[in-house]
Amino acid sequence: MLTVYNCIVNEHDLRLVALAALICGISCFSAVNLLRHVDRSTSRNRHAWLLIAATSTGFGIWATHFIAMIAFTPGIPNAYNAELSVASLAMSVILTAAGMWIATIRGGIDHYLVGGAVLGIGIAAMHYTGMAAFEVEGRIVWNQLLVAASLASGIILAALSLLVVLRRPSTLATAAGAVLLTLAICTLHFIAMAAVSIYPDSSIEVSKFTIAPMSQAFAAAAASLVILVLSATALWIDLRFRRHRIEAERMHGLANAAVEGLIVCDGNRIVSANDSIAALSGIAAGTLNTMTLGNLFGERIGSGVAAGNGQAQEADLRSQDDSRIPVELIARSIDYCGKPHLVVAVRDIRERRKAEQEIMRLAHYDPLTGLANRRSFTGHLEAEIAASAEAGAGKGGQLALMLLDLDRFKEVNDLFGHAAGDAVLQKVAHCASSVLRHGQMLARLGGDEFAIIAPNLPDPQAAGRIAEAVLSALRQENRLSPGGMVSASIGIALYPLDADEQAALVSHADTALYRAKAEGKDTFRYFEASMGAEARDRRIMEQDLRQAVARGELRLVYQPQKEISSGRMIGFEALLRWQHPERGEVPPSVFIPVAEDSGSIAQIGEWVLATACKEAATWKNPLTIAVNVSAVQLHNPDFSRKVHEVLLRSGLAPGRLELEITETALVKDMPRALATLRQIKALGVRVAMDDFGTGYSSLSNLRAFPFDKIKIDGSFIKSVDRNDQVATIVRAVLGLGRGLGLPVLAEGVETLDELRFLDAEDCDIGQGYFLGRPGPIEAFGELTGAPSPDGVTEDDAIGATAKVDNVRGGSILMLQPAAAARSG
């Protein structure tokens, strides 16, 4: 160390030594700053930064050496070889570039140390090449130990310098790295200079082609100027880069706060991307910064966005797994790092697409069954008609439109609830779809209405085969389902045979559907021209029935019910009549089925019950009043409450009201019917089983339900005195009634022989034309306790005068038909 000290103090101009150290420090600080830019830069500008850093550092090392050499005063003539001086500069720049490249090509301590060692070798190579360029009139002798020390110190300190700068970049690391690199250059130079001993020798001459020390001083000054310019440039670039980096980090932080993906682009090249777009695409933000818009959205979309038209457009984002994500792109121009850039907002529209698809599905498909809805059906039928018309008559085959409507579906909803109704609709959709072929369409028009469009049929009979296949599938489902399922009716209309435009075709299919329902249901019918008038008439009747109560067109007539053995009047049955202003008297057998199908029977039934109870409450004699109850009324959960309200409003004693119910109404929902009947019985109202022997007669019903009376249907009484089989059935029913303790009423008694048979078999009560025709209640004034109107007698009211000849061993009821002929 003393040798090195003596060399610096005694053999050097300390002012120039200080200048050399200053230039070395400046170049080293510039070098480490530029080195950090090399490490952070992308592959595109890495080589430019590497060239600037290597040039600045190489020139700094070279200038430090030669300024220090000028400061060296050997006391004898000396000069510098031009070629070797230039070679030393080139070696300094090249080896510095190699060392920096190795240190920054890939992260890792090994690369940092190896790159730094190469840089140290470059310093040593420059120094000893420069010493070789130094010519003096004397002999130069080297101290090998100090030479080795200089090499070791320079290489180790240079390696440590790059390790400190690159391993954990920071301001402190930059300063420490600059100091270490300065020490590497200075220690190598001055230890190497201390290793030199010069012995004057006049026999050695300095070459004529060398550079004088003063010229070398100018060269070193020029190199120093280069260093200063590059250092200043590097400092300006560093400050600008830091400002841009702070701005970029701030904007990146703001961008990361956005839910939408944001991309900042320089033209088509991506320079920044936020975390949202990285998460959406599955591509790391660092990787996105090396891509283009075309890589993400395709070249056409990328070019359009880069053009900056400012319009929102939809595109597919290519994710990391090469899948496509639908997005919306909105581009705007911004100032980014002092330069115009394009910011692209990337909005994920997968949920919006799903919502749009769902809206489209709901607009064209039924949400319950998944079938096409009325809107889709209308468009499809219009398209098929147009296609058939374009193909020409006979060339495209027959186009069949089939309208399908479920039978008694309203009762399913009323009895079992809408959930059960929905399940039935889904089963119907499945069964009907299973028998259709490709090109045939099933749609749900609403409620329990379905439609089938079957184009290109070879003949009209093919439509019937499709309809029968659908009905068969429904029947099979009924057999397999524990609770069964409603049946269906189908109406068929053909294009162009029945109609040549859509509205008429639908209307004709609807007309055929009504005919199928009227003719027994669970069947299909083709449209016939004669059906049109009937369908219009039925629809008009449905509308008129809905207004009949309000218009006062309905009225009640009353038919007497008498004890057969004594002829005593016990009550009346209220019968409904409809006096239409245009149709006249409409038979109940005609309008009651229409009322049941249209749903107006509930309103009409309430009116009948209220009117009959109000009338009976005015009678002086406590006769009973019998009222028929429909299935719809019976299965209404509020029916018992409504009966109670009618009794309270009318003031009729509950024991005088008798509700007549058919077994058909019971079997549709046994538990609910039983609960309703028990509630009615709790009010004190009597219940009679109507039309026993027809429909779903079952002995278990007589045991399960709280009936007070059995009514034998009039079809059995009509020929009871002439048909042994019918007589046997009636005797069995009468015996059943006696066994159960229930009185039996025989309907339809029209002849004296029928009455005698019933009396002989101990039938309790009779009702029929022979005992009394239905009439207005005013005609029965004497029976009810009210005076009869003028011109009306009791014989006119009851249609017969009873005279009993009571003979033990066989009572025979003798009837004198005094007014039978008059009453018709």
Side-chain angles (χ1 to χ4, degrees), residues 327-663:
V327 294
E328 183 181 60
L329 305 179
I330 303 175
R332 295 288 186 272
S333 295
I334 63 167
D335 182 76
Y336 181 78
C337 298
K339 180 182 176 183
H341 282 70
L342 196 69
V343 62
V344 182
V346 183
R347 181 176 301 162
D348 184 0
I349 59 173
R350 284 178 291 187
E351 292 301 322
R352 191 178 79 185
R353 286 273 182 91
K354 288 181 181 178
E356 290 173 351
Q357 291 172 358
E358 180 64 14
I359 292 172
M360 186 65 65
R361 189 184 68 82
L362 292 175
H364 293 88
Y365 292 92
D366 172 50
L368 177 63
T369 61
L371 300 176
N373 61 10
R374 182 182 291 274
R375 178 179 180 180
S376 182
F377 158 78
T378 302
H380 190 76
L381 180 59
E382 184 177 357
E384 290 292 351
I385 290 176
S388 296
E390 185 177 351
K395 296 180 181 179
Q398 296 285 335
L399 170 64
L401 171 63
M402 289 171 268
L403 295 185
L404 183 150
D405 190 85
L406 303 186
D407 303 328
R408 297 178 293 276
F409 179 70
K410 186 177 184 300
E411 297 177 13
V412 174
N413 277 332
D414 292 340
L415 300 181
F416 304 106
H418 289 283
D422 290 346
V424 169
L425 292 174
Q426 290 171 338
K427 287 183 179 179
V428 170
H430 174 73
C431 291
S433 299
S434 64
V435 303
L436 298 183
R437 296 180 179 178
H438 178 71
Q440 298 173 351
M441 176 185 184
L442 175 65
R444 182 187 176 203
L445 306 184
D448 61 334
E449 301 176 50
F450 295 82
I452 297 173
I453 302 175
N456 303 321
L457 298 181
D459 51 63
Q461 289 73 29
R465 291 192 291 270
I466 295 174
E468 184 57 39
V470 171
L471 296 177
S472 298
L474 295 178
R475 296 183 194 117
Q476 179 65 20
E477 182 66 26
N478 274 333
R479 288 191 290 269
L480 297 177
S481 300
M485 188 173 62
V486 293
S487 59
S489 300
I490 299 177
I492 304 173
L494 301 171
Y495 173 90
L497 184 63
D498 297 325
D500 57 2
E501 57 93 17
Q502 181 175 335
L505 191 66
V506 173
S507 177
H508 291 346
D510 194 45
T511 300
L513 172 62
Y514 270 99
R515 173 59 65 86
K517 281 185 170 294
E519 295 185 359
K521 303 179 175 61
D522 192 23
T523 187
F524 67 90
R525 289 291 182 269
Y526 285 93
F527 171 76
E528 297 174 5
S530 60
M531 293 180 179
E534 296 177 8
R536 286 192 296 272
D537 183 68
R538 181 183 178 91
R539 292 191 184 96
I540 293 172
M541 183 178 291
E542 288 179 359
Q543 294 298 326
D544 291 342
L545 271 175
R546 292 188 179 95
Q547 305 297 325
V549 173
R551 293 172 179 171
E553 296 172 2
L554 299 179
R555 62 186 176 88
L556 294 181
V557 295
Y558 298 84
Q559 187 170 27
Q561 296 177 341
K562 294 186 177 184
E563 282 188 353
I564 292 179
S565 60
S566 64
R568 183 175 63 87
M569 183 74 178
I570 64 170
F572 294 93
E573 179 180 3
L575 303 175
L576 182 62
R577 296 292 185 265
W578 182 22
Q579 183 67 34
H580 192 275
E582 298 176 359
R583 301 172 187 267
E585 186 79 24
V586 182
S589 59
V590 173
F591 73 82
I592 291 297
V594 176
E596 289 178 343
D597 289 341
S598 64
S600 58
I601 191 65
Q603 177 194 14
I604 294 173
E606 291 179 14
W607 178 87
V608 170
L609 179 63
T611 304
C613 289
K614 182 179 179 181
E615 174 60 40
T618 64
W619 300 341
K620 183 177 181 180
N621 296 332
L623 302 175
T624 61
I625 181 69
V627 178
N628 288 282
V629 175
S630 69
V632 175
Q633 289 176 279
L634 179 63
H635 294 293
N636 188 331
D638 295 332
F639 180 62
S640 60
R641 180 180 59 79
K642 292 181 178 180
V643 172
H644 190 204
E645 290 175 355
V646 168
L647 292 174
L648 292 177
R649 284 198 303 267
S650 65
L652 181 68
R656 293 178 58 195
L657 175 62
E658 184 174 273
L659 300 180
E660 297 184 355
I661 299 168
T662 64
E663 281 192 292

Side-chain angles (χ1 to χ4, degrees), residues 244-292:
H244 288 174
R245 186 182 64 187
I246 292 172
E247 182 181 354
E249 289 177 352
R250 180 176 61 84
M251 293 194 67
H252 192 70
L254 292 174
N256 281 334
V259 176
E260 294 180 342
L262 293 177
I263 299 174
V264 179
C265 303
D266 184 5
N268 193 39
R269 183 175 59 88
I270 298 173
V271 298
S272 181
N274 70 347
D275 293 342
S276 296
I277 186 64
L280 178 62
S281 64
I283 303 173
T287 305
L288 286 170
N289 294 343
T290 65
M291 301 174 68
T292 65

Side-chain angles (χ1 to χ4, degrees), residues 760-783:
E761 297 297 332
D762 293 330
C763 181
D764 301 287
I765 308 167
Q767 177 182 340
Y769 280 9
F770 192 77
L771 299 177
R773 289 178 175 273
I777 194 61
E778 293 81 9
F780 304 101
E782 293 185 8
L783 297 177

